[in-house]
Amino acid sequence: MRVLKFGGTSLANAEKFQIVLQIIIKKFKKEQIGIVLSAPSTITNLLFNSITLVLEKKKKIKEIIKKIYIFFRNLINSFKTTKQIIKYKKLKKKIKKKCIFLQKKLKIIKYAKTCSDSIKAKIISIGEKISVYIMYFLLKIKKYHITIIDPVKNFITTGTYLNSKIDLKNSKNNIEKLKIPKTNIILMPGFIAGNQNKKLVILGRNGSDYSAAALSVCTNAKICEIWTDVDGIYTCDPQKISTAVLLKNLIYQEAQELSFFGAKILHPSTISPLKKNNIPCIIKNTNNLTSKGTKINNETKKSHVFIKGLTYIKKIFLITFKIFKKIKILKYIELILNFINIHKIKIFFIKPSYTHQKILICLPTEKKKIILKNLNNFFLKDLSKKKIIYFKITQNLSLVSLISSNFYYNHYIIQFIFQTIQKYKKNIIEIDHSLYNFHFLILLNNTILSSFLKTLHQKIYYQRKKIHIFIIGIGGIGQTLLKQITQQKEFLKNKNKKICIHVISNSKKYLFDKKNILNFDLKNLKQDTLKNFDLKEILKLPENFNIQNPILIDCTSSTQIAKNYINIFKKGFHIVSANKKSNTTNFQSYKKIHKTALFYKKKFFYETHVGAGLPIIKNLKNLLSTGDKFQKFSGILSGSMSFIFGLLEKNITFSKAVKKAKKLGFTEPDPREDLSGIDIARKLLIIAREIGYKLELSDIKIENILPKNILKLKNIEEVMTNLTTLDNIFFEKNKIAQKMNQVLRFIGTIKKDGVCEVKLKSISKKNPLYKIKNGENIFVFYTQYYSPIPLIIQGYGAGKNVTASGMFSDLLHI
Ligand code: ASP
Ligand code: MG
């Protein structure tokens, strides 16, 4: 025996009824089944509202009836084509009869100007009955044998007309007495039951889940399936948190806590009867038949999802009682609980604070009026008798709950929770937790609910690390980086990482997407509709759109952006930089940038400032952090100089070598920028500062290989022709070197005392720099650990691909 309950959304129209029919037929092939039906979605609400509309004379009864009748007539209209027209007419007649019944009841209400709970119950449960008529018809024309259970006669309850509890023992007796043949499909309207006098009562809103649980117990079902329009229970409301994950398994208690603390998927009374009788419950989706759904039973499966849910209830308020010292807190709690009990109010938590002589109670806002009305009467005398000093109400609160059966064994998760609480501390009102509880409750101001949930969810279910980037500067390197990121999407996905690009900008315009810019056709950056580049505005985006851990990627060489680094860190960004200006300003600013990053706990990565993608800074940092001591450094730090002096070896003249390097794009448009040695000096400065030397750019000694007259020239063409005047000088120098079996290299050195030099040197075969040409770079570090054989890093030290990949690697390390 298996019980299947179909909710309103699964019965919303004719097509949905057909899907449900197919599910029923398939399941019935294997075993006997009991079907519990809800009203088609919106119908219960319509019926509910009809009462108010009539009482407030806002709508004519006729119109209400017409609307409901037309809804059902349209729903069954497509079933007309069946050959069994007599059965169809019978169905239509039954629906009509129910509408006439409704009309009569509404008229009574209209004249009486009031509606008793008994009539209310009858009215709002009409939808369930009609669902059963329709399904009976559909099964009948397929020639199935059916037994309809009348829950009013068979489900005995205690409670009120609008909220009753089923007496399972007696109900089970009744159902057993029916002796339903094994060959029959059982059909029953949900939501409805009967009181001791066999009068119709209902089980509270969304009560058909509870009906299904009761039917499962009464028929000894081995499973209870709840069919709805979502795949199952998620780690958080998927409407609020797009990354919420479907839970495959829950134990009964976890499911109970989830629904108590706001998860809207199950009626809160559903689990308890199933738990007592050890009947598993599965939540399934009529819109996605292949999904396995969520299974609730008592098997604790090992799972990496250890917090089972993050639920929230929005309308909450808090009462704080301040108690006189002589009064015992526990005694007073008893008093409060009695009061709460009398008024049958659900309470979320009650918490004593012994040090402050306070008691806090967290309650649903919908009951605020009743509570406050009675509270005054009840406690005023305590105020006068000096039992309490005051009581205070705090409103507009939300209650977030984390549900897990495992808090005790996974303390580390508590740490994540507290980290998030710390971040939002100004708006957190109270927390309630004990390691043995299944829940961890956080009471907070409504205003931060969404943001808090998002942060906490991300922290706990770090399923896929999201890396949020803002790219500034979209020249060759920026574009290559974007290309590489796109290419690596799948690879990163398999590594549980996702890069979300929020900003792409050039110096004039910027594109923004709070989720991810998927289509970055760079032509878009020219559109007039785009916002003008404004760093200040860009820096505000993470806060405005709750983007966590943003990374600014500086692909510019802009002094202006470099000047803003301190500000960027303060705004909560990490920085990945290719902009050398940020590390080569005066020492004071340099220090301030690095200190700010440290202070705000932000990462500052700039591997590409030296040797492009070659891991120079990374390795240097590692050596120094692990206690190695620097001794000396030498290297070829410029691809263009490596290329030019490599050619001289082949007896090519100096001017021709520069021309060739320029043509192949190895030099800057004005080759003097390379030849002057300033770029090498900047890189040396960055390395030296990394080692700890307090140096300015002007401290780096540069041996200038260009005479003043060439440096002064305005026109690049002229520079190129004038370079021939140097051919002889270099020819001679090269000849001398060759005679000694040496080569000319333009190198950078740092000595132990921090003296940095950029100069042309003739070097022998033994020197590792000897072989470096064709644009290659080399970095040779002698340290305490790396001597006498040095640590050597060599390879291409310039170019779009290697530089972009260096930045890419930096951002993956944040
Ligand atoms: N139709 C009822 C309601 O909307 C019962 C149910 O759907 O479970 O509350
Ligand atoms: Mg429902």
Side-chain angles (χ1 to χ4, degrees):
M1 178 75 191
R2 181 180 288 254
V3 168
L4 317 176
K5 176 252 164 174
F6 295 93
T9 45
S10 305
L11 303 166
N13 51 42
E15 291 83 54
K16 292 270 170 83
F17 263 92
Q18 291 292 2
I19 294 173
V20 170
L21 178 69
Q22 292 316 315
I23 298 171
I24 293 175
I25 291 172
K26 201 170 153 200
K27 299 263 170 176
F28 188 57
K29 278 187 185 140
K30 290 191 193 139
E31 63 196 312
Q32 185 173 27
I33 53 173
I35 311 297
V36 176
L37 298 182
S38 200
S41 64
T42 70
I43 285 297
T44 315
N45 284 347
L46 263 174
L47 291 165
F48 212 88
N49 295 339
S50 71
I51 299 169
T52 343
L53 289 174
V54 169
L55 284 175
E56 291 175 3
K57 294 192 181 132
K58 284 199 177 131
K59 217 168 188 176
K60 286 197 175 131
I61 294 178
K62 249 190 191 165
E63 277 172 44
I64 296 170
I65 302 296
K66 199 172 162 195
K67 192 170 174 189
I68 292 174
Y69 179 68
I70 289 177
F71 173 88
F72 283 111
R73 202 194 58 196
N74 289 346
L75 196 154
I76 63 165
N77 212 14
S78 62
F79 307 148
K80 214 196 275 179
T81 47
T82 161
K83 284 169 198 143
Q84 314 247 5
I85 198 73
I86 302 173
K87 284 200 174 76
Y88 174 78
K89 280 190 176 153
K90 241 187 184 168
L91 170 66
K92 205 167 160 185
K93 212 169 167 185
K94 274 185 175 171
I95 293 174
K96 210 172 210 164
K97 229 171 130 185
K98 269 291 156 218
C99 290
I100 293 169
F101 170 83
L102 175 63
Q103 192 172 19
K104 271 189 195 154
K105 295 291 171 209
L106 290 179
K107 272 185 186 159
I108 296 173
I109 296 171
K110 187 179 163 190
Y111 294 119
K113 294 197 172 81
T114 169
C115 176
S116 68
D117 284 353
S118 138
I119 293 188
K120 200 182 244 178
K122 279 184 186 143
I123 290 178
I124 62 175
S125 58
I126 287 174
E128 270 67 14
K129 290 189 175 166
I130 300 184
S131 286
V132 167
Y133 296 159
I134 300 173
M135 193 50 78
Y136 179 82
F137 160 81
L138 291 173
L139 287 166
K140 255 303 178 231
I141 56 177
K142 295 242 181 249
K143 306 239 166 7
Y144 286 97
H145 298 292
I146 301 148
T147 300
I148 295 182
I149 292 183
D150 179 358
V152 180
K153 284 194 192 130
N154 294 291
F155 276 174
I156 302 167
T157 63
T158 51
T160 61
Y161 278 105
L162 299 178
N163 202 347
S164 273
K165 285 261 159 311
I166 302 172
D167 169 352
L168 285 167
K169 212 172 151 202
N170 283 322
S171 306
K172 193 171 179 182
N173 269 339
N174 286 346
I175 302 278
E176 275 167 1
K177 273 188 215 146
L178 295 176
K179 295 216 165 19
I180 303 169
K182 285 261 175 291
T183 45
N184 284 17
I185 292 177
I186 301 169
L187 203 51
M188 185 184 93
F191 194 34
I192 305 170
N195 63 13
Q196 308 286 344
N197 305 323
K198 302 249 179 331
K199 290 267 184 284
L200 183 147
V201 298
I202 55 164
L203 304 168
R205 286 309 302 266
N206 299 315
S208 20
D209 294 337
Y210 182 26
S211 306
L215 185 65
S216 304
V217 174
C218 295
T219 56
N220 294 321
K222 59 176 199 307
I223 199 154
C224 172
E225 296 184 359
I226 305 285
W227 287 80
T228 172
D229 64 338
V230 287
D231 280 348
I233 301 180
Y234 283 80
T235 49
C236 193
D237 179 359
Q239 308 274 16
K240 266 219 147 37
I241 306 289
S242 60
T243 50
V245 185
L246 182 71
L247 293 162
K248 287 192 184 114
N249 274 88
L250 285 173
I251 61 168
Y252 292 118
Q253 171 109 26
E254 287 167 339
Q256 264 170 319
E257 300 255 351
L258 279 173
S259 59
F260 185 84
F261 287 111
K264 287 173 198 80
I265 197 123
L266 282 176
H267 182 283
S269 306
T270 313
I271 297 299
S272 165
L274 296 174
K275 182 178 166 190
K276 273 189 202 133
N277 292 278
N278 206 3
I279 303 171
C281 174
I282 300 191
I283 319 262
K284 298 276 285 172
N285 187 357
T286 34
N287 296 332
N288 181 12
L289 299 179
T290 52
S291 163
K292 286 226 161 73
T294 301
K295 190 167 186 181
I296 304 163
N297 55 13
N298 61 7
E299 289 166 33
T300 33
K301 281 212 172 123
K302 274 216 171 103
S303 143
H304 66 286
V305 183
F306 134 73
I307 293 274
K308 287 303 170 58
L310 203 53
T311 59
Y312 63 92
I313 304 174
K314 261 188 185 164
K315 291 181 178 157
I316 294 287
F317 78 108
L318 180 79
I319 313 180
T320 314
F321 290 92
K322 174 93 176 161
I323 318 284
F324 269 106
K325 266 216 175 99
K326 58 179 199 289
I327 305 294
K328 287 224 163 64
I329 292 264
L330 276 179
K331 264 258 163 303
Y332 210 79
I333 286 191
E334 221 181 291
L335 218 83
I336 295 171
L337 284 178
N338 275 340
F339 165 78
I340 299 283
N341 256 342
I342 293 169
H343 297 283
K344 293 207 164 49
I345 295 159
K346 174 171 172 175
I347 94 172
F348 294 111
F349 70 77
I350 181 157
K351 197 179 167 184
S353 155
Y354 296 100
T355 34
H356 297 104
Q357 278 292 110
K358 277 184 183 171
I359 301 169
L360 311 170
I361 332 172
C362 180
L363 300 152
T365 305
E366 68 201 49
K367 298 283 181 184
K368 201 177 87 199
K369 258 195 193 153
I370 310 177
I371 296 170
L372 291 190
K373 199 173 131 207
N374 294 290
L375 196 67
N376 273 321
N377 299 337
F378 200 86
F379 290 102
L380 270 182
K381 59 178 188 304
D382 285 356
L383 278 172
S384 61
K385 279 189 200 160
K386 301 220 157 169
K387 282 188 184 165
I388 50 175
I389 302 174
Y390 64 78
F391 63 84
K392 192 178 90 186
I393 311 283
T394 321
Q395 303 191 63
N396 300 327
L397 305 178
S398 290
L399 184 69
V400 170
S401 347
L402 291 105
I403 310 296
S404 169
S405 51
N406 260 323
F407 280 119
Y408 189 76
Y409 296 102
N410 294 281
H411 296 68
Y412 70 94
I413 274 283
I414 307 277
Q415 190 186 339
F416 292 153
I417 303 172
F418 276 106
Q419 279 166 1
T420 316
I421 288 175
Q422 177 68 16
K423 189 173 165 199
Y424 290 89
K425 62 177 182 253
K426 276 192 220 142
N427 280 296
I428 305 285
I429 309 296
E430 189 57 53
I431 54 174
D432 184 52
H433 175 62
S434 122
L435 281 179
Y436 298 99
N437 277 352
F438 275 60
H439 52 251
F440 189 122
L441 305 178
I442 303 145
L443 191 64
L444 38 81
N445 281 326
N446 275 341
T447 43
I448 56 154
L449 176 66
S450 294
S451 161
F452 183 82
L453 279 176
K454 225 173 179 177
T455 312
L456 191 54
H457 194 272
Q458 163 97 3
K459 212 151 195 138
I460 296 171
Y461 307 103
Y462 41 91
Q463 301 276 332
R464 175 135 20 120
K465 186 178 173 189
K466 279 195 176 171
I467 302 165
H468 302 278
I469 62 170
F470 291 60
I471 303 181
I472 311 286
I474 204 76
I477 290 167
Q479 288 182 32
T480 313
L481 179 61
L482 276 173
K483 242 183 247 159
Q484 290 179 354
I485 289 173
T486 319
Q487 274 164 11
Q488 285 306 93
K489 220 177 184 170
E490 276 309 302
F491 180 88
L492 291 175
K493 198 173 166 187
N494 292 332
K495 299 261 180 257
N496 265 343
K497 283 184 184 161
K498 180 180 178 181
I499 297 187
C500 304
I501 307 167
H502 295 285
V503 162
I504 299 179
S505 88
N506 58 19
S507 56
K508 294 197 180 76
K509 298 272 182 187
Y510 75 94
L511 266 171
F512 167 68
D513 191 310
K514 65 178 181 192
K515 286 204 166 137
N516 193 1
I517 302 175
L518 290 172
N519 172 21
F520 35 77
D521 186 354
L522 295 173
K523 282 179 225 128
N524 287 349
L525 278 173
K526 296 206 178 87
Q527 280 172 23
D528 292 340
T529 46
L530 282 186
K531 293 206 173 145
N532 286 337
F533 178 80
D534 181 344
L535 188 62
K536 240 186 178 170
E537 286 303 311
I538 292 177
L539 297 185
K540 281 186 205 154
L541 294 170
E543 206 180 317
N544 293 348
F545 292 90
N546 193 23
I547 298 166
Q548 310 281 323
N549 265 326
I551 305 171
L552 186 125
I553 302 193
D554 182 5
C555 300
T556 71
S557 54
S558 148
T559 319
Q560 206 43 40
I561 303 280
K563 272 189 185 156
N564 263 293
Y565 275 23
I566 289 176
N567 216 2
I568 297 171
F569 288 130
K570 281 185 182 167
K571 282 281 173 197
F573 284 82
H574 304 283
I575 298 179
V576 169
S577 164
N579 179 0
K580 267 180 239 142
K581 304 259 164 66
S582 57
N583 267 329
T584 51
T585 51
N586 62 63
F587 188 76
Q588 224 184 345
S589 319
Y590 165 87
K591 257 286 138 331
K592 207 166 169 197
I593 292 175
H594 284 256
K595 271 192 172 162
T596 314
L598 263 183
F599 182 81
Y600 288 94
K601 299 194 176 66
K602 297 295 155 212
K603 298 267 169 51
F604 179 25
F605 286 158
Y606 41 87
E607 186 55 77
T608 53
H609 286 190
V610 180
L614 294 178
I616 310 300
I617 304 287
K618 233 180 248 145
N619 280 303
L620 188 54
K621 274 195 163 101
N622 283 343
L623 289 182
L624 298 172
S625 331
T626 52
D628 200 356
K629 298 275 178 302
F630 172 79
Q631 288 175 345
K632 62 178 180 177
F633 166 82
S634 65
I636 294 175
L637 303 91
S638 150
S640 43
M641 299 304 254
S642 147
F643 189 80
I644 292 165
F645 286 92
L647 288 182
L648 288 192
E649 254 172 83
K650 294 183 188 162
N651 290 324
I652 293 175
T653 61
F654 180 72
S655 60
K656 274 192 183 149
V658 177
K659 238 179 234 167
K660 194 163 182 191
K662 183 176 182 315
K663 206 175 156 195
L664 292 173
F666 274 105
T667 68
E668 295 294 320
D670 181 348
R672 285 176 299 183
E673 283 183 32
D674 301 286
L675 299 171
S676 68
I678 187 74
D679 189 51
I680 301 173
R682 281 203 190 102
K683 290 174 187 166
L684 268 191
L685 177 68
I686 294 168
I687 297 177
R689 281 177 170 178
E690 200 66 51
I691 296 166
Y693 297 113
K694 279 188 193 166
L695 295 175
E696 298 293 349
L697 189 57
S698 53
D699 294 330
I700 317 285
K701 290 182 199 154
I702 307 175
E703 181 190 303
N704 208 338
I705 56 168
L706 294 181
K708 275 191 189 134
N709 65 324
I710 294 187
L711 284 174
K712 272 188 205 152
L713 290 173
K714 294 232 164 73
N715 185 324
I716 295 174
E717 296 287 301
E718 261 181 278
V719 173
M720 295 313 280
T721 40
N722 265 289
L723 284 178
T724 48
T725 56
L726 301 177
D727 285 351
N728 256 340
I729 303 171
F730 281 102
F731 179 77
E732 286 304 321
K733 282 189 178 183
N734 198 32
K735 213 165 111 188
I736 299 167
Q738 276 178 348
K739 253 188 203 154
M740 296 190 291
N741 276 336
Q742 292 190 343
V743 289
L744 290 180
R745 293 289 180 257
F746 200 62
I747 66 180
T749 56
I750 306 172
K751 291 199 186 119
K752 198 172 180 181
D753 55 6
V755 172
C756 298
E757 280 179 318
V758 180
K759 61 183 171 197
L760 188 65
K761 252 184 147 182
S762 173
I763 53 174
S764 70
K765 250 190 187 148
K766 274 191 278 171
N767 194 318
L769 275 54
Y770 181 91
K771 280 197 226 136
I772 303 303
K773 48 190 167 189
N774 300 333
E776 205 182 357
N777 277 198
I778 189 165
F779 299 79
V780 181
F781 290 95
Y782 288 87
T783 66
Q784 191 183 336
Y785 300 158
Y786 287 96
S787 60
I789 299 173
L791 169 72
I792 299 177
I793 301 165
Q794 72 180 78
Y796 285 115
K800 284 185 234 169
N801 277 329
V802 286
T803 309
S805 107
M807 298 190 86
F808 199 173
S809 146
D810 270 356
L811 78 91
L812 290 178
H813 281 93
I814 288 185

